[in-house]
Amino acid sequence: MTRVGIGYDVHKLEKGDLLYIGGIHISSDVGSVGHSDGDALSHSIADALLGAAGLGDIGKFFPSEDDTWKDVRSTVFLENIARMIKKSGFSINNIDATIILQEPKIGDYIDKIKSSLATTMDLDHSSISIKATTTDRMGAIGEGLGWGAMAVASIIKEPL
Ligand code: MG
């Protein structure tokens, strides 16, 4: 049995915050604003996985009203969710995600981000695809007010 899920997330960018993408710190003049570390890529993957498993969304398990998750690295969420997926009898087949960010350019970080996510969810490198795009300077993301990510995940359960 194969199931798929989608995820989408956007966070504000402001001076004075740090920018973490897929658990990797990105050298940047602006950082992501969020209750946790504002890692929109990890959040979109989290929602894609939870969606595939029919478990709900990230806010259900890690609500921003709960101080437990304040300033927490978002890879912690992914670690937990990967464990939940396993517990429900599924394994993660593949993840494909797109980061939407005008600046800074993050092409040089993509491999590091992939490795970080693979380690976090105990997956093979080849199961994860990470892409990046801009919005050609159009709209809020194009003006640098924020950034976002979308993700698709597929999970499989082998017949008994
Ligand atoms: Mg988020």
Coordinates of all heavy atoms in Angstrom, one line a residue, residues 49-135:
L49 N 4.4 14.2 5.5 CA 4.5 12.9 6.1 C 3.2 12.6 6.9 O 2.6 11.5 6.8 CB 5.7 12.8 7.0 CG 7.0 12.7 6.2 CD1 8.2 12.9 7.2 CD2 7.2 11.4 5.5
L50 N 2.8 13.6 7.7 CA 1.6 13.4 8.6 C 0.4 13.2 7.7 O -0.5 12.4 7.9 CB 1.4 14.6 9.5 CG 2.4 14.7 10.6 CD1 2.3 16.0 11.4 CD2 2.3 13.5 11.6
G51 N 0.3 14.0 6.6 CA -0.8 13.9 5.6 C -0.8 12.5 5.0 O -1.9 11.9 4.9
A52 N 0.3 12.0 4.6 CA 0.4 10.7 4.0 C -0.2 9.6 4.9 O -0.9 8.7 4.5 CB 1.8 10.3 3.5
A53 N 0.2 9.7 6.2 CA -0.2 8.7 7.2 C -1.6 9.0 7.7 O -2.1 8.2 8.5 CB 0.8 8.7 8.3
G54 N -2.2 10.1 7.3 CA -3.6 10.5 7.8 C -3.6 10.8 9.3 O -4.6 10.6 9.9
L55 N -2.5 11.4 9.7 CA -2.4 11.6 11.2 C -2.7 13.0 11.6 O -2.8 13.3 12.8 CB -0.9 11.3 11.6 CG -0.6 9.8 11.6 CD1 0.9 9.6 11.9 CD2 -1.4 9.0 12.6
G56 N -2.9 13.9 10.6 CA -3.2 15.3 11.0 C -2.1 16.3 10.5 O -1.6 16.0 9.4
D57 N -1.9 17.3 11.3 CA -0.8 18.3 10.8 C 0.1 18.6 12.0 O -0.1 18.2 13.1 CB -1.4 19.5 10.1 CG -2.3 20.3 11.1 OD1 -2.1 20.3 12.3 OD2 -3.2 21.0 10.6
I58 N 1.1 19.3 11.6 CA 2.2 19.6 12.6 C 1.7 20.4 13.8 O 2.2 20.2 14.9 CB 3.4 20.4 11.9 CG1 4.6 20.5 12.7 CG2 2.9 21.7 11.3 CD1 5.8 21.0 12.0
G59 N 0.7 21.2 13.6 CA 0.1 22.0 14.7 C -0.6 21.1 15.8 O -0.7 21.5 16.9
K60 N -1.0 20.0 15.3 CA -1.7 19.1 16.2 C -0.7 18.4 17.2 O -1.1 18.2 18.4 CB -2.4 18.0 15.4 CG -3.1 16.9 16.2 CD -3.8 16.0 15.2 CE -4.1 14.6 15.9 NZ -4.6 13.6 14.9
F61 N 0.5 18.2 16.7 CA 1.5 17.5 17.6 C 2.4 18.4 18.3 O 3.0 18.1 19.3 CB 2.2 16.4 16.7 CG 1.4 15.3 16.3 CD1 0.8 15.4 15.0 CD2 1.0 14.3 17.1 CE1 0.0 14.3 14.5 CE2 0.2 13.3 16.7 CZ -0.3 13.3 15.4
F62 N 2.7 19.5 17.6 CA 3.7 20.5 18.1 C 3.1 21.9 18.1 O 3.6 22.8 17.3 CB 5.0 20.4 17.3 CG 5.5 19.0 17.1 CD1 5.3 18.3 15.9 CD2 6.2 18.3 18.1 CE1 5.8 17.0 15.7 CE2 6.6 17.0 17.9 CZ 6.4 16.4 16.7
P63 N 2.1 22.1 18.9 CA 1.4 23.4 18.8 C 2.3 24.6 19.2 O 3.1 24.5 20.1 CB 0.2 23.3 19.7 CG 0.5 22.1 20.6 CD 1.4 21.2 19.9
S64 N 2.1 25.7 18.5 CA 3.0 26.9 18.8 C 2.5 27.5 20.1 O 3.2 28.4 20.6 CB 3.0 27.9 17.7 OG 1.6 28.1 17.2
E65 N 1.4 27.1 20.7 CA 1.0 27.6 22.0 C 1.8 26.9 23.1 O 1.8 27.4 24.3 CB -0.5 27.4 22.3 CG -1.4 28.1 21.3 CD -1.6 27.3 20.0 OE1 -1.8 26.0 20.1 OE2 -1.5 27.9 18.9
D66 N 2.4 25.8 22.8 CA 3.1 25.0 23.8 C 4.6 25.4 23.9 O 5.3 25.3 22.9 CB 3.0 23.5 23.3 CG 3.5 22.6 24.4 OD1 4.3 23.0 25.3 OD2 3.2 21.4 24.3
D67 N 5.0 25.9 25.0 CA 6.3 26.4 25.2 C 7.4 25.3 25.1 O 8.6 25.6 25.0 CB 6.5 27.1 26.5 CG 6.0 28.6 26.4 OD1 5.8 29.0 25.2 OD2 5.9 29.3 27.4
T68 N 7.0 24.0 25.1 CA 7.9 22.9 25.0 C 8.7 23.1 23.6 O 9.8 22.7 23.5 CB 7.2 21.6 24.9 OG1 6.2 21.6 25.9 CG2 8.1 20.4 25.0
W69 N 7.9 23.6 22.6 CA 8.5 23.7 21.3 C 9.1 25.0 20.9 O 9.4 25.3 19.8 CB 7.4 23.3 20.2 CG 6.7 22.0 20.7 CD1 5.4 21.9 21.1 CD2 7.3 20.7 20.8 NE1 5.1 20.6 21.4 CE2 6.3 19.9 21.3 CE3 8.6 20.2 20.6 CZ2 6.5 18.5 21.6 CZ3 8.8 18.9 20.9 CH2 7.8 18.0 21.4
K70 N 9.2 25.9 21.9 CA 9.7 27.3 21.6 C 11.2 27.2 21.3 O 11.9 26.5 22.1 CB 9.5 28.2 22.8 CG 9.7 29.6 22.5 CD 9.2 30.6 23.5 CE 9.8 31.9 23.4 NZ 10.0 32.4 22.1
D71 N 11.6 27.8 20.2 CA 13.0 27.8 19.8 C 13.6 26.4 19.6 O 14.8 26.3 19.5 CB 13.9 28.6 20.8 CG 13.4 30.1 20.9 OD1 13.0 30.6 19.8 OD2 13.5 30.7 22.0
V72 N 12.7 25.4 19.4 CA 13.2 24.1 19.2 C 13.6 24.0 17.7 O 13.0 24.6 16.8 CB 12.1 23.0 19.5 CG1 12.3 21.7 18.8 CG2 12.1 22.8 21.0
R73 N 14.7 23.2 17.5 CA 15.1 22.9 16.1 C 14.1 22.0 15.5 O 13.7 21.0 16.0 CB 16.5 22.2 16.1 CG 17.3 22.1 14.9 CD 18.1 23.3 14.5 NE 17.8 24.6 15.0 CZ 18.5 25.3 15.8 NH1 19.6 24.9 16.3 NH2 18.1 26.5 16.2
S74 N 13.6 22.4 14.3 CA 12.5 21.7 13.7 C 12.8 20.3 13.3 O 11.9 19.4 13.0 CB 12.0 22.5 12.5 OG 11.5 23.7 12.9
T75 N 14.1 19.9 13.2 CA 14.4 18.5 12.9 C 14.0 17.6 14.0 O 13.7 16.4 13.7 CB 16.0 18.4 12.7 OG1 16.6 19.2 13.6 CG2 16.4 18.9 11.3
V76 N 13.8 18.2 15.2 CA 13.2 17.4 16.3 C 11.8 16.9 15.9 O 11.4 15.8 16.2 CB 13.2 18.2 17.6 CG1 12.5 17.5 18.7 CG2 14.6 18.5 18.1
F77 N 11.0 17.8 15.3 CA 9.7 17.4 14.9 C 9.8 16.2 13.9 O 9.0 15.3 13.9 CB 9.0 18.6 14.2 CG 8.9 19.8 15.0 CD1 8.7 21.1 14.4 CD2 8.9 19.8 16.4 CE1 8.6 22.2 15.1 CE2 8.8 20.9 17.2 CZ 8.7 22.2 16.5
L78 N 10.7 16.4 12.9 CA 10.8 15.4 11.9 C 11.3 14.0 12.4 O 10.8 13.0 12.0 CB 11.8 15.8 10.8 CG 11.3 16.9 9.8 CD1 12.4 17.3 8.8 CD2 10.0 16.4 9.1
E79 N 12.2 14.1 13.4 CA 12.6 12.8 14.1 C 11.4 12.1 14.7 O 11.2 10.9 14.5 CB 13.6 13.2 15.2 CG 15.0 12.9 15.0 CD 15.8 13.5 16.1 OE1 15.5 13.2 17.3 OE2 16.8 14.2 15.8
N80 N 10.6 12.9 15.4 CA 9.4 12.3 16.1 C 8.4 11.8 15.0 O 7.8 10.7 15.2 CB 8.7 13.4 16.9 CG 9.4 13.5 18.3 OD1 9.2 12.7 19.1 ND2 10.1 14.6 18.5
I81 N 8.2 12.5 14.0 CA 7.2 12.1 13.0 C 7.7 10.9 12.2 O 6.9 10.0 12.0 CB 6.9 13.3 12.0 CG1 6.1 14.4 12.8 CG2 6.1 12.8 10.8 CD1 6.0 15.7 12.1
A82 N 9.0 10.8 11.9 CA 9.5 9.6 11.2 C 9.2 8.4 12.1 O 8.9 7.3 11.6 CB 11.0 9.8 11.0
R83 N 9.4 8.6 13.4 CA 9.2 7.5 14.4 C 7.7 7.1 14.4 O 7.3 5.9 14.4 CB 9.6 7.9 15.8 CG 10.5 6.9 16.5 CD 11.0 7.4 17.8 NE 12.2 8.3 17.6 CZ 12.3 9.4 18.3 NH1 11.4 9.8 19.2 NH2 13.4 10.2 18.1
M84 N 6.8 8.1 14.3 CA 5.3 7.9 14.3 C 4.9 7.1 13.1 O 4.1 6.2 13.1 CB 4.6 9.2 14.4 CG 4.6 9.9 15.7 SD 4.3 11.6 15.7 CE 2.8 11.7 14.8
I85 N 5.5 7.4 11.9 CA 5.2 6.8 10.7 C 5.6 5.3 10.8 O 4.8 4.4 10.4 CB 6.1 7.4 9.5 CG1 5.7 8.9 9.4 CG2 5.9 6.6 8.2 CD1 4.5 9.2 8.6
K86 N 6.8 5.0 11.3 CA 7.3 3.7 11.5 C 6.3 2.9 12.4 O 6.0 1.7 12.1 CB 8.7 3.7 12.1 CG 9.7 2.7 11.5 CD 11.0 2.8 12.2 CE 12.1 3.1 11.2 NZ 13.4 3.3 11.8
K87 N 5.9 3.5 13.5 CA 5.0 2.9 14.5 C 3.7 2.5 13.8 O 3.1 1.5 14.2 CB 4.7 3.9 15.6 CG 5.0 3.3 17.0 CD 4.5 4.2 18.0 CE 5.3 4.1 19.3 NZ 5.0 5.1 20.3
S88 N 3.2 3.3 12.8 CA 2.0 3.0 12.2 C 2.1 2.0 11.1 O 1.2 1.7 10.3 CB 1.3 4.3 11.6 OG 2.1 4.9 10.6
G89 N 3.3 1.4 11.0 CA 3.5 0.3 10.1 C 4.0 0.7 8.7 O 4.1 -0.2 7.8
F90 N 4.2 2.0 8.5 CA 4.7 2.4 7.2 C 6.2 2.7 7.2 O 6.8 2.9 8.2 CB 4.0 3.8 6.8 CG 2.5 3.6 6.3 CD1 1.5 3.7 7.2 CD2 2.3 3.4 5.0 CE1 0.2 3.5 6.8 CE2 1.0 3.2 4.6 CZ -0.1 3.3 5.5
S91 N 6.8 2.7 6.0 CA 8.1 3.3 5.9 C 8.1 4.4 4.9 O 7.2 4.4 4.0 CB 9.2 2.2 5.6 OG 8.8 1.5 4.4
I92 N 9.0 5.4 5.0 CA 9.0 6.5 4.1 C 9.6 6.1 2.8 O 10.8 5.6 2.8 CB 9.8 7.7 4.7 CG1 9.1 8.1 6.0 CG2 9.9 8.8 3.7 CD1 9.9 9.1 6.9
N93 N 8.9 6.2 1.7 CA 9.4 5.8 0.4 C 10.2 6.9 -0.2 O 11.4 6.7 -0.6 CB 8.2 5.5 -0.5 CG 8.6 4.9 -1.8 OD1 9.5 4.1 -1.9 ND2 8.0 5.5 -2.9
N94 N 9.7 8.1 -0.4 CA 10.5 9.2 -0.9 C 9.8 10.6 -0.5 O 8.6 10.6 -0.1 CB 10.7 9.2 -2.4 CG 9.5 9.6 -3.2 OD1 8.4 9.1 -3.0 ND2 9.6 10.6 -4.0
I95 N 10.7 11.6 -0.5 CA 10.2 13.0 -0.2 C 10.8 13.8 -1.3 O 11.9 13.7 -1.7 CB 10.8 13.4 1.2 CG1 10.1 12.6 2.3 CG2 10.6 14.9 1.4 CD1 10.9 12.7 3.6
D96 N 9.9 14.7 -1.8 CA 10.4 15.7 -2.8 C 9.9 17.1 -2.3 O 8.7 17.2 -2.0 CB 9.8 15.4 -4.2 CG 10.2 16.3 -5.2 OD1 11.3 16.9 -5.1 OD2 9.5 16.6 -6.2
A97 N 10.8 18.0 -2.3 CA 10.4 19.3 -1.7 C 11.0 20.5 -2.5 O 12.1 20.3 -3.2 CB 10.8 19.4 -0.3
T98 N 10.4 21.6 -2.5 CA 10.9 22.8 -3.2 C 10.9 23.9 -2.2 O 9.9 24.2 -1.5 CB 10.0 23.2 -4.4 OG1 10.0 22.2 -5.3 CG2 10.5 24.5 -5.0
I99 N 12.1 24.6 -2.0 CA 12.2 25.7 -1.2 C 12.0 27.0 -2.1 O 12.4 27.0 -3.2 CB 13.7 25.8 -0.7 CG1 14.0 24.6 0.1 CG2 13.9 27.1 0.1 CD1 15.5 24.3 0.2
I100 N 11.2 27.9 -1.6 CA 10.9 29.1 -2.3 C 11.4 30.3 -1.6 O 10.9 30.7 -0.5 CB 9.3 29.3 -2.5 CG1 8.7 28.0 -3.0 CG2 9.1 30.4 -3.5 CD1 7.2 27.9 -2.8
L101 N 12.5 30.8 -2.1 CA 13.3 31.9 -1.4 C 14.0 32.8 -2.4 O 14.6 32.2 -3.3 CB 14.3 31.2 -0.4 CG 15.4 32.0 0.3 CD1 14.7 32.9 1.3 CD2 16.4 31.1 0.9
Q102 N 13.8 34.1 -2.2 CA 14.5 35.0 -3.2 C 16.0 35.1 -2.9 O 16.8 34.9 -3.7 CB 13.8 36.4 -3.1 CG 14.2 37.3 -4.3 CD 13.8 36.7 -5.7 OE1 12.7 36.3 -5.9 NE2 14.7 36.7 -6.6
E103 N 16.3 35.4 -1.6 CA 17.7 35.6 -1.2 C 17.9 35.1 0.2 O 17.0 35.3 1.0 CB 18.1 37.1 -1.3 CG 18.6 37.4 -2.7 CD 18.7 38.9 -2.9 OE1 18.6 39.7 -1.9 OE2 18.9 39.4 -4.0
P104 N 19.0 34.6 0.6 CA 20.2 34.4 -0.2 C 20.0 33.2 -1.1 O 19.1 32.4 -1.0 CB 21.3 34.1 0.9 CG 20.5 33.5 2.0 CD 19.2 34.2 2.0
K105 N 20.9 33.1 -2.1 CA 21.0 31.9 -2.9 C 21.5 30.7 -2.1 O 22.4 30.8 -1.4 CB 21.9 32.1 -4.1 CG 21.4 33.2 -5.1 CD 20.4 32.7 -6.0 CE 19.7 33.8 -6.8 NZ 18.6 34.4 -6.1
I106 N 20.8 29.6 -2.3 CA 21.1 28.4 -1.4 C 21.6 27.2 -2.1 O 21.7 26.1 -1.5 CB 19.9 28.1 -0.5 CG1 18.6 27.9 -1.3 CG2 19.7 29.1 0.6 CD1 17.6 27.2 -0.6
G107 N 21.9 27.3 -3.4 CA 22.3 26.2 -4.2 C 23.4 25.4 -3.6 O 23.4 24.2 -3.6
D108 N 24.4 26.1 -3.0 CA 25.5 25.5 -2.4 C 25.2 24.7 -1.1 O 26.0 23.9 -0.6 CB 26.6 26.5 -2.0 CG 27.2 27.1 -3.3 OD1 27.0 26.5 -4.4 OD2 27.9 28.1 -3.2
Y109 N 24.0 24.9 -0.6 CA 23.6 24.2 0.7 C 22.8 23.0 0.4 O 22.5 22.2 1.4 CB 22.8 25.2 1.5 CG 23.5 26.3 2.2 CD1 23.6 27.6 1.6 CD2 24.2 26.1 3.4 CE1 24.2 28.6 2.2 CE2 24.9 27.2 4.0 CZ 24.9 28.4 3.4 OH 25.6 29.5 3.9
I110 N 22.3 22.8 -0.8 CA 21.3 21.7 -1.1 C 21.8 20.3 -0.6 O 21.1 19.6 0.1 CB 20.9 21.7 -2.5 CG1 20.2 23.0 -3.0 CG2 20.0 20.5 -2.9 CD1 18.8 23.2 -2.4
D111 N 23.1 20.0 -0.9 CA 23.6 18.7 -0.5 C 23.6 18.5 1.0 O 23.3 17.5 1.6 CB 25.0 18.4 -1.1 CG 24.9 17.8 -2.5 OD1 23.8 17.4 -2.8 OD2 25.9 17.8 -3.2
K112 N 24.0 19.6 1.7 CA 24.1 19.6 3.2 C 22.7 19.4 3.7 O 22.5 18.7 4.7 CB 24.7 20.9 3.7 CG 26.1 20.9 3.8 CD 26.5 22.2 4.6 CE 28.0 22.4 4.5 NZ 28.4 23.8 4.9
I113 N 21.7 20.1 3.2 CA 20.3 20.0 3.6 C 19.8 18.6 3.5 O 19.2 18.0 4.4 CB 19.4 21.0 2.9 CG1 19.8 22.5 3.3 CG2 18.0 20.8 3.1 CD1 19.2 23.5 2.4
K114 N 20.1 18.0 2.3 CA 19.7 16.6 2.1 C 20.3 15.7 3.1 O 19.6 14.8 3.6 CB 20.2 16.2 0.7 CG 19.2 16.2 -0.4 CD 19.8 15.4 -1.5 CE 19.2 15.7 -2.9 NZ 19.8 15.0 -3.9
S115 N 21.6 15.8 3.4 CA 22.2 14.9 4.3 C 21.6 15.1 5.7 O 21.4 14.1 6.4 CB 23.7 15.2 4.4 OG 24.3 15.0 3.2
S116 N 21.4 16.4 6.1 CA 20.8 16.6 7.4 C 19.4 16.0 7.5 O 19.1 15.3 8.5 CB 20.6 18.2 7.5 OG 19.6 18.5 8.5
L117 N 18.6 16.1 6.5 CA 17.3 15.5 6.5 C 17.3 13.9 6.5 O 16.6 13.3 7.2 CB 16.4 16.0 5.3 CG 16.0 17.5 5.4 CD1 15.4 17.9 4.1 CD2 15.1 17.7 6.6
A118 N 18.3 13.4 5.7 CA 18.4 11.9 5.7 C 18.8 11.4 7.1 O 18.2 10.4 7.5 CB 19.5 11.6 4.6
T119 N 19.7 12.1 7.7 CA 20.2 11.6 9.1 C 19.0 11.8 10.0 O 18.7 10.9 10.8 CB 21.3 12.5 9.6 OG1 22.4 12.5 8.6 CG2 21.9 12.1 10.9
T120 N 18.3 12.9 10.0 CA 17.2 13.2 10.9 C 16.1 12.1 10.8 O 15.6 11.6 11.9 CB 16.6 14.5 10.6 OG1 17.5 15.5 10.8 CG2 15.4 14.8 11.5
M121 N 15.8 11.7 9.6 CA 14.7 10.7 9.4 C 15.2 9.3 9.2 O 14.4 8.4 8.9 CB 13.8 11.2 8.3 CG 13.0 12.5 8.7 SD 12.0 13.1 7.3 CE 13.2 13.8 6.2
D122 N 16.5 9.1 9.3 CA 17.1 7.8 9.1 C 16.7 7.2 7.7 O 16.2 6.1 7.6 CB 16.7 6.8 10.2 CG 17.5 5.6 10.3 OD1 18.6 5.6 9.7 OD2 17.0 4.5 10.8
L123 N 17.0 8.0 6.7 CA 16.6 7.7 5.3 C 17.9 7.7 4.4 O 18.9 8.3 4.8 CB 15.6 8.7 4.7 CG 14.2 8.7 5.3 CD1 13.5 9.9 4.6 CD2 13.5 7.4 5.1
D124 N 17.8 6.9 3.3 CA 18.8 7.0 2.4 C 18.8 8.3 1.6 O 17.7 8.9 1.4 CB 18.6 5.8 1.4 CG 19.9 5.5 0.6 OD1 20.7 4.7 1.1 OD2 20.0 6.1 -0.5
H125 N 19.9 8.8 1.3 CA 20.1 10.1 0.5 C 19.2 10.1 -0.7 O 18.6 11.1 -1.0 CB 21.5 10.2 0.1 CG 22.2 11.5 0.3 ND1 23.2 11.6 1.2 CD2 21.9 12.7 -0.2 CE1 23.5 12.9 1.2 NE2 22.8 13.5 0.4
S126 N 19.1 8.9 -1.4 CA 18.4 8.9 -2.7 C 16.9 9.0 -2.5 O 16.2 9.1 -3.5 CB 18.8 7.6 -3.4 OG 18.4 6.5 -2.6
S127 N 16.4 8.9 -1.3 CA 15.0 9.0 -1.0 C 14.5 10.4 -0.9 O 13.3 10.7 -0.8 CB 14.6 8.2 0.3 OG 15.2 7.0 0.3
I128 N 15.5 11.3 -0.8 CA 15.1 12.7 -0.6 C 15.6 13.6 -1.8 O 16.7 13.5 -2.2 CB 15.8 13.3 0.7 CG1 15.4 12.4 1.9 CG2 15.4 14.7 0.9 CD1 16.1 12.8 3.1
S129 N 14.6 14.4 -2.3 CA 15.0 15.4 -3.3 C 14.6 16.8 -2.8 O 13.5 17.0 -2.3 CB 14.1 15.0 -4.6 OG 13.9 16.2 -5.3
I130 N 15.6 17.7 -2.9 CA 15.4 19.0 -2.5 C 15.7 20.0 -3.6 O 16.8 19.9 -4.2 CB 16.3 19.4 -1.2 CG1 16.0 18.4 -0.1 CG2 16.0 20.8 -0.8 CD1 14.7 18.5 0.6
K131 N 14.8 20.8 -3.9 CA 15.0 21.8 -5.0 C 14.8 23.2 -4.5 O 14.2 23.4 -3.4 CB 14.0 21.5 -6.2 CG 14.0 20.0 -6.6 CD 13.0 19.7 -7.6 CE 11.5 20.1 -7.3 NZ 10.9 19.3 -6.2
A132 N 15.2 24.2 -5.2 CA 15.0 25.6 -4.8 C 14.6 26.4 -5.9 O 15.1 26.2 -7.1 CB 16.3 26.1 -4.1
T133 N 13.8 27.4 -5.7 CA 13.4 28.4 -6.7 C 13.1 29.7 -6.1 O 13.1 29.9 -4.8 CB 12.1 27.9 -7.4 OG1 11.8 28.7 -8.6 CG2 10.9 27.9 -6.5
T134 N 13.0 30.8 -6.9 CA 12.6 32.1 -6.4 C 11.3 32.4 -7.0 O 10.7 31.5 -7.7 CB 13.6 33.2 -7.0 OG1 13.4 33.3 -8.4 CG2 15.1 32.8 -6.7
T135 N 10.7 33.6 -6.8 CA 9.5 34.0 -7.4 C 9.8 35.1 -8.4 O 8.9 35.9 -8.7 CB 8.4 34.4 -6.4 OG1 8.9 35.5 -5.7 CG2 8.1 33.3 -5.4

